[in-house]
Amino acid sequence: MAHPAQLGFQDAASPVMEELLHFHDHALMIVFLISTFVLYIIVAMISTKLTNKYILDSQEIEIIWTVLPAMTLVLIALPSLRILYLMDEINSPLLTVKAVGHQWYWSYEYTDYEELGFDAYMIPTQDLAPGQFRLLEADHRMVIPVEAPIRILISADDVLHSWAVPALGVKMDAVPGRLNQMTFISSRPGVFFGQCSEICGANHSFMPIVVEAVPLEHFENWATKMLEDA
């Protein structure tokens, strides 16, 4: 969960998000080193130490500023490709959930169950209980078992939406007439908040996403209760 004046990312709640945080720090360090080197070159040129024509026309300098960027791209590309493979589709998920974006709410269907589905609307400010978060709480949470591979199918009923939960490292566009999919694993129990990340109309900022990761036994009890209520 984010907190006031936060500068960094939310705490990772999935293996993919942990890898994304490591990659962010890795890339940021490379950018910092490049910026420092370029600043040094600029300062040195201003002081006329590098304006000598024999240095500027040097073959060695041309080799360096060709090879170094190529090596930098490799250092960024290798961990990036690794994360892409980690985010790839899994063959046998424990649970499949279909999320459909509407103006302006989300509906969820648990495809492994025959009649388990519900709509999730934002709770109005005046109806919030003590301790609940404004603009982030929904009347129904998407409940999933912890430490289990989850496949989520994402689509939209009207306009473009985007299903995004930062702590889980997931973000996927919901496109009308198209079924996108992604997978994730929640590495710890908790409640994780997200929002539609596509400008989808007047109430774009009022369709939150709430994912609750619970132990498998609790998830089974919740699913049984939801089916009985249905």
Side-chain angles (χ1 to χ4, degrees):
M1 181 64 193
H3 56 79
Q6 178 176 341
L7 295 178
F9 291 95
Q10 297 182 23
D11 292 338
S14 70
V16 169
M17 189 59 190
E18 292 178 3
E19 293 294 333
L20 289 173
L21 290 178
H22 292 319
F23 177 68
H24 168 267
D25 296 340
H26 171 75
L28 186 63
M29 183 56 65
I30 292 177
V31 171
F32 175 75
L33 293 175
I34 293 174
S35 301
T36 303
F37 178 71
V38 172
L39 180 61
Y40 167 77
I41 295 296
I42 293 174
V43 172
M45 291 184 68
I46 292 176
S47 63
T48 69
K49 291 182 180 180
L50 291 181
T51 55
N52 186 285
K53 67 178 182 178
Y54 298 108
I55 296 179
L56 291 179
D57 295 336
S58 170
Q59 183 68 34
E60 290 78 6
I61 292 294
E62 293 185 6
I63 293 175
I64 291 174
W65 70 41
T66 301
V67 173
L68 281 183
M71 294 176 60
T72 302
L73 291 177
V74 172
L75 289 175
I76 295 176
L78 291 180
S80 177
L81 291 173
R82 177 174 176 271
I83 294 176
L84 286 176
Y85 279 108
L86 287 176
M87 298 173 66
D88 202 5
E89 179 186 357
I90 54 178
N91 295 324
S92 54
L94 180 68
L95 182 69
T96 299
V97 183
K98 182 180 179 182
V100 181
H102 307 268
Q103 289 183 315
W104 287 272
Y105 64 96
W106 293 96
S107 62
Y108 298 96
E109 301 174 15
Y110 288 70
T111 60
D112 300 283
Y113 299 84
E114 188 173 348
E115 296 181 356
L116 181 51
F118 51 84
D119 297 330
Y121 292 86
M122 187 193 76
I123 300 178
T125 302
Q126 63 272 17
D127 297 334
L128 290 174
Q132 290 186 324
F133 298 101
R134 177 177 173 270
L135 301 182
L136 289 177
E137 295 285 354
D139 57 356
H140 289 90
R141 293 174 173 176
M142 173 183 157
V143 181
I144 60 172
V146 71
E147 295 182 346
I150 307 297
R151 172 188 290 148
I152 179 163
L153 308 174
I154 303 170
S155 186
D157 187 51
D158 34 45
V159 299
L160 290 175
H161 299 278
S162 182
W163 200 86
V165 182
L168 296 173
V170 294
K171 181 177 181 180
M172 179 64 70
D173 285 343
V175 183
R178 181 183 177 88
L179 200 62
N180 293 327
Q181 70 175 14
M182 62 187 315
T183 58
F184 64 91
I185 299 175
S186 175
S187 56
R188 57 183 171 87
V191 180
F192 312 111
F193 297 91
Q195 291 177 302
C196 176
S197 298
E198 195 76 52
I199 299 177
C200 56
N203 290 336
H204 154 68
S205 57
F206 303 105
M207 49 183 304
I209 301 163
V210 186
V211 178
E212 183 175 0
V214 298
L216 181 58
E217 180 181 355
H218 294 182
F219 170 78
E220 291 175 345
N221 294 335
W222 171 85
T224 301
K225 182 178 182 302
M226 290 292 290
L227 289 171
E228 290 176 352
D229 294 341

